[in-house]
Amino acid sequence: MDIENNYQIQILWACLAAWNKANADDVISFYAEDVDYRDPNLINGIKGRKQLHTYLKILFHKWPVQKWTPNIIHPHLKTGNFSIDYAFYFGNKYKSIQGRGIDLIVLNNDKIQLNHVYLNADAWAEWIKR
């Protein structure tokens, strides 16, 4: 693993720590202006930092307790491309959701350009109804 990958892995750890604080301003600082973001809540994803910031404010308001625990941060052959396997837990005073997930992340220098989130997709709709 080269020095750049080590540096970028440290960025990913810091980004996960920001997610665990559920603070949209802290989290958005890790993302590029033209970020491509997708998760199970977003059918078509989000393009751009401003839209992602708005989404994160809503997400963290609804789910103020966030815990993302990485199992493996796996660098791909192309520098800046990673898969992250993790356990997640998030909740509010009425319910909580936990499971496993995997992200595809592409960094451009020190900012996340692409973040596609996959969380137990088959069960997602049922969890959200609870």
mmCIF file of all heavy atoms in Angstrom, residues 9 13 16 67-75 83-88 99-103:
data_model
loop_
_atom_site.group_PDB
_atom_site.id
_atom_site.type_symbol
_atom_site.label_atom_id
_atom_site.label_comp_id
_atom_site.label_asym_id
_atom_site.label_seq_id
_atom_site.Cartn_x
_atom_site.Cartn_y
_atom_site.Cartn_z
ATOM 1 N N ILE A 9 -6.938 6.571 3.556
ATOM 2 C CA ILE A 9 -7.601 5.735 4.560
ATOM 3 C C ILE A 9 -7.799 6.529 5.850
ATOM 4 O O ILE A 9 -8.846 6.423 6.497
ATOM 5 C CB ILE A 9 -6.819 4.423 4.789
ATOM 6 C CG1 ILE A 9 -7.019 3.502 3.577
ATOM 7 C CG2 ILE A 9 -7.257 3.733 6.076
ATOM 8 C CD1 ILE A 9 -6.153 2.258 3.580
ATOM 9 N N TRP A 13 -11.362 7.214 7.832
ATOM 10 C CA TRP A 13 -11.591 7.027 9.273
ATOM 11 C C TRP A 13 -12.148 8.308 9.895
ATOM 12 O O TRP A 13 -13.079 8.261 10.710
ATOM 13 C CB TRP A 13 -10.292 6.632 9.992
ATOM 14 C CG TRP A 13 -9.948 5.187 9.859
ATOM 15 C CD1 TRP A 13 -8.980 4.647 9.065
ATOM 16 C CD2 TRP A 13 -10.554 4.082 10.543
ATOM 17 N NE1 TRP A 13 -8.950 3.283 9.212
ATOM 18 C CE2 TRP A 13 -9.903 2.914 10.115
ATOM 19 C CE3 TRP A 13 -11.592 3.979 11.478
ATOM 20 C CZ2 TRP A 13 -10.262 1.648 10.588
ATOM 21 C CZ3 TRP A 13 -11.944 2.717 11.936
ATOM 22 C CH2 TRP A 13 -11.282 1.576 11.498
ATOM 23 N N LEU A 16 -15.817 8.741 8.910
ATOM 24 C CA LEU A 16 -16.691 7.873 9.709
ATOM 25 C C LEU A 16 -16.886 8.427 11.118
ATOM 26 O O LEU A 16 -17.990 8.366 11.672
ATOM 27 C CB LEU A 16 -16.129 6.452 9.778
ATOM 28 C CG LEU A 16 -16.324 5.609 8.523
ATOM 29 C CD1 LEU A 16 -15.532 4.314 8.629
ATOM 30 C CD2 LEU A 16 -17.795 5.316 8.293
ATOM 31 N N LYS A 67 -23.962 5.154 14.498
ATOM 32 C CA LYS A 67 -22.741 4.418 14.827
ATOM 33 C C LYS A 67 -22.367 3.556 13.627
ATOM 34 O O LYS A 67 -23.084 2.635 13.262
ATOM 35 C CB LYS A 67 -22.918 3.540 16.057
ATOM 36 C CG LYS A 67 -21.626 2.835 16.408
ATOM 37 C CD LYS A 67 -21.636 2.202 17.754
ATOM 38 C CE LYS A 67 -20.261 1.577 17.966
ATOM 39 N NZ LYS A 67 -20.085 1.055 19.252
ATOM 40 N N TRP A 68 -21.258 3.897 13.033
ATOM 41 C CA TRP A 68 -20.728 3.200 11.861
ATOM 42 C C TRP A 68 -19.379 2.607 12.269
ATOM 43 O O TRP A 68 -18.456 3.341 12.607
ATOM 44 C CB TRP A 68 -20.578 4.181 10.693
ATOM 45 C CG TRP A 68 -21.893 4.818 10.351
ATOM 46 C CD1 TRP A 68 -22.436 5.936 10.914
ATOM 47 C CD2 TRP A 68 -22.844 4.345 9.407
ATOM 48 N NE1 TRP A 68 -23.666 6.187 10.362
ATOM 49 C CE2 TRP A 68 -23.945 5.226 9.442
ATOM 50 C CE3 TRP A 68 -22.873 3.250 8.542
ATOM 51 C CZ2 TRP A 68 -25.067 5.056 8.633
ATOM 52 C CZ3 TRP A 68 -23.995 3.092 7.728
ATOM 53 C CH2 TRP A 68 -25.066 3.978 7.776
ATOM 54 N N THR A 69 -19.289 1.290 12.252
ATOM 55 C CA THR A 69 -18.091 0.600 12.717
ATOM 56 C C THR A 69 -17.488 -0.204 11.569
ATOM 57 O O THR A 69 -18.021 -1.260 11.196
ATOM 58 C CB THR A 69 -18.433 -0.338 13.895
ATOM 59 O OG1 THR A 69 -19.136 0.404 14.892
ATOM 60 C CG2 THR A 69 -17.177 -0.955 14.475
ATOM 61 N N PRO A 70 -16.394 0.274 10.999
ATOM 62 C CA PRO A 70 -15.806 -0.443 9.867
ATOM 63 C C PRO A 70 -15.172 -1.762 10.286
ATOM 64 O O PRO A 70 -14.575 -1.871 11.350
ATOM 65 C CB PRO A 70 -14.751 0.521 9.331
ATOM 66 C CG PRO A 70 -14.453 1.442 10.446
ATOM 67 C CD PRO A 70 -15.666 1.495 11.316
ATOM 68 N N ASN A 71 -15.347 -2.748 9.429
ATOM 69 C CA ASN A 71 -14.688 -4.036 9.587
ATOM 70 C C ASN A 71 -13.437 -4.061 8.714
ATOM 71 O O ASN A 71 -12.358 -4.363 9.192
ATOM 72 C CB ASN A 71 -15.651 -5.170 9.202
ATOM 73 C CG ASN A 71 -15.035 -6.537 9.328
ATOM 74 O OD1 ASN A 71 -14.261 -6.794 10.235
ATOM 75 N ND2 ASN A 71 -15.368 -7.409 8.403
ATOM 76 N N ILE A 72 -13.613 -3.704 7.452
ATOM 77 C CA ILE A 72 -12.495 -3.693 6.502
ATOM 78 C C ILE A 72 -12.591 -2.435 5.642
ATOM 79 O O ILE A 72 -13.658 -2.113 5.123
ATOM 80 C CB ILE A 72 -12.546 -4.910 5.558
ATOM 81 C CG1 ILE A 72 -12.434 -6.220 6.332
ATOM 82 C CG2 ILE A 72 -11.442 -4.827 4.505
ATOM 83 C CD1 ILE A 72 -12.705 -7.443 5.471
ATOM 84 N N ILE A 73 -11.490 -1.720 5.513
ATOM 85 C CA ILE A 73 -11.362 -0.674 4.503
ATOM 86 C C ILE A 73 -10.400 -1.242 3.466
ATOM 87 O O ILE A 73 -9.217 -1.449 3.734
ATOM 88 C CB ILE A 73 -10.842 0.654 5.090
ATOM 89 C CG1 ILE A 73 -11.848 1.209 6.096
ATOM 90 C CG2 ILE A 73 -10.590 1.661 3.963
ATOM 91 C CD1 ILE A 73 -11.431 2.515 6.758
ATOM 92 N N HIS A 74 -10.952 -1.570 2.306
ATOM 93 C CA HIS A 74 -10.191 -2.280 1.289
ATOM 94 C C HIS A 74 -9.880 -1.355 0.109
ATOM 95 O O HIS A 74 -10.779 -0.936 -0.608
ATOM 96 C CB HIS A 74 -11.000 -3.486 0.786
ATOM 97 C CG HIS A 74 -10.309 -4.252 -0.276
ATOM 98 N ND1 HIS A 74 -9.229 -5.064 -0.022
ATOM 99 C CD2 HIS A 74 -10.526 -4.308 -1.608
ATOM 100 C CE1 HIS A 74 -8.823 -5.604 -1.154
ATOM 101 N NE2 HIS A 74 -9.586 -5.161 -2.126
ATOM 102 N N PRO A 75 -8.595 -1.027 -0.081
ATOM 103 C CA PRO A 75 -8.235 -0.211 -1.248
ATOM 104 C C PRO A 75 -8.305 -1.043 -2.534
ATOM 105 O O PRO A 75 -7.938 -2.216 -2.552
ATOM 106 C CB PRO A 75 -6.798 0.215 -0.959
ATOM 107 C CG PRO A 75 -6.299 -0.691 0.101
ATOM 108 C CD PRO A 75 -7.466 -1.317 0.780
ATOM 109 N N SER A 83 -13.514 0.032 -1.031
ATOM 110 C CA SER A 83 -14.737 -0.572 -0.520
ATOM 111 C C SER A 83 -14.589 -0.616 0.989
ATOM 112 O O SER A 83 -13.514 -0.899 1.506
ATOM 113 C CB SER A 83 -14.913 -1.999 -1.041
ATOM 114 O OG SER A 83 -15.118 -2.006 -2.431
ATOM 115 N N ILE A 84 -15.682 -0.300 1.684
ATOM 116 C CA ILE A 84 -15.673 -0.344 3.143
ATOM 117 C C ILE A 84 -16.807 -1.252 3.591
ATOM 118 O O ILE A 84 -17.968 -1.026 3.245
ATOM 119 C CB ILE A 84 -15.848 1.048 3.771
ATOM 120 C CG1 ILE A 84 -14.755 1.990 3.289
ATOM 121 C CG2 ILE A 84 -15.864 0.962 5.289
ATOM 122 C CD1 ILE A 84 -14.891 3.410 3.810
ATOM 123 N N ASP A 85 -16.468 -2.292 4.330
ATOM 124 C CA ASP A 85 -17.429 -3.210 4.923
ATOM 125 C C ASP A 85 -17.598 -2.801 6.389
ATOM 126 O O ASP A 85 -16.603 -2.574 7.075
ATOM 127 C CB ASP A 85 -16.890 -4.641 4.816
ATOM 128 C CG ASP A 85 -17.738 -5.624 5.577
ATOM 129 O OD1 ASP A 85 -18.797 -6.000 5.066
ATOM 130 O OD2 ASP A 85 -17.335 -6.009 6.700
ATOM 131 N N TYR A 86 -18.835 -2.697 6.873
ATOM 132 C CA TYR A 86 -19.039 -2.166 8.219
ATOM 133 C C TYR A 86 -20.335 -2.690 8.840
ATOM 134 O O TYR A 86 -21.212 -3.213 8.159
ATOM 135 C CB TYR A 86 -19.085 -0.632 8.198
ATOM 136 C CG TYR A 86 -20.044 -0.089 7.174
ATOM 137 C CD1 TYR A 86 -21.399 0.034 7.458
ATOM 138 C CD2 TYR A 86 -19.600 0.275 5.914
ATOM 139 C CE1 TYR A 86 -22.280 0.500 6.510
ATOM 140 C CE2 TYR A 86 -20.476 0.745 4.968
ATOM 141 C CZ TYR A 86 -21.820 0.859 5.261
ATOM 142 O OH TYR A 86 -22.690 1.321 4.316
ATOM 143 N N ALA A 87 -20.422 -2.493 10.140
ATOM 144 C CA ALA A 87 -21.677 -2.650 10.877
ATOM 145 C C ALA A 87 -22.228 -1.256 11.109
ATOM 146 O O ALA A 87 -21.472 -0.305 11.274
ATOM 147 C CB ALA A 87 -21.424 -3.347 12.209
ATOM 148 N N PHE A 88 -23.555 -1.136 11.087
ATOM 149 C CA PHE A 88 -24.158 0.161 11.354
ATOM 150 C C PHE A 88 -25.269 0.033 12.383
ATOM 151 O O PHE A 88 -25.865 -1.018 12.571
ATOM 152 C CB PHE A 88 -24.690 0.817 10.075
ATOM 153 C CG PHE A 88 -25.873 0.094 9.460
ATOM 154 C CD1 PHE A 88 -27.168 0.391 9.858
ATOM 155 C CD2 PHE A 88 -25.679 -0.862 8.480
ATOM 156 C CE1 PHE A 88 -28.252 -0.270 9.294
ATOM 157 C CE2 PHE A 88 -26.756 -1.529 7.911
ATOM 158 C CZ PHE A 88 -28.050 -1.234 8.319
ATOM 159 N N GLY A 99 -27.453 -3.303 11.268
ATOM 160 C CA GLY A 99 -27.163 -4.319 10.272
ATOM 161 C C GLY A 99 -25.750 -4.176 9.762
ATOM 162 O O GLY A 99 -24.870 -3.640 10.429
ATOM 163 N N ARG A 100 -25.562 -4.631 8.539
ATOM 164 C CA ARG A 100 -24.261 -4.569 7.895
ATOM 165 C C ARG A 100 -24.426 -3.845 6.566
ATOM 166 O O ARG A 100 -25.502 -3.830 5.990
ATOM 167 C CB ARG A 100 -23.707 -5.973 7.666
ATOM 168 C CG ARG A 100 -23.489 -6.696 8.983
ATOM 169 C CD ARG A 100 -22.351 -7.660 8.979
ATOM 170 N NE ARG A 100 -21.108 -7.154 8.455
ATOM 171 C CZ ARG A 100 -20.183 -6.487 9.161
ATOM 172 N NH1 ARG A 100 -20.393 -6.219 10.418
ATOM 173 N NH2 ARG A 100 -19.057 -6.102 8.607
ATOM 174 N N GLY A 101 -23.342 -3.271 6.110
ATOM 175 C CA GLY A 101 -23.378 -2.579 4.839
ATOM 176 C C GLY A 101 -22.019 -2.555 4.192
ATOM 177 O O GLY A 101 -21.022 -3.014 4.767
ATOM 178 N N ILE A 102 -22.007 -2.038 2.988
ATOM 179 C CA ILE A 102 -20.749 -1.850 2.262
ATOM 180 C C ILE A 102 -20.885 -0.584 1.422
ATOM 181 O O ILE A 102 -21.962 -0.291 0.907
ATOM 182 C CB ILE A 102 -20.397 -3.083 1.396
ATOM 183 C CG1 ILE A 102 -18.964 -2.980 0.891
ATOM 184 C CG2 ILE A 102 -21.395 -3.293 0.277
ATOM 185 C CD1 ILE A 102 -18.408 -4.278 0.367
ATOM 186 N N ASP A 103 -19.837 0.184 1.352
ATOM 187 C CA ASP A 103 -19.805 1.406 0.542
ATOM 188 C C ASP A 103 -18.752 1.265 -0.539
ATOM 189 O O ASP A 103 -17.695 0.661 -0.318
ATOM 190 C CB ASP A 103 -19.401 2.621 1.383
ATOM 191 C CG ASP A 103 -20.516 3.174 2.229
ATOM 192 O OD1 ASP A 103 -21.480 2.453 2.495
ATOM 193 O OD2 ASP A 103 -20.402 4.341 2.637
#
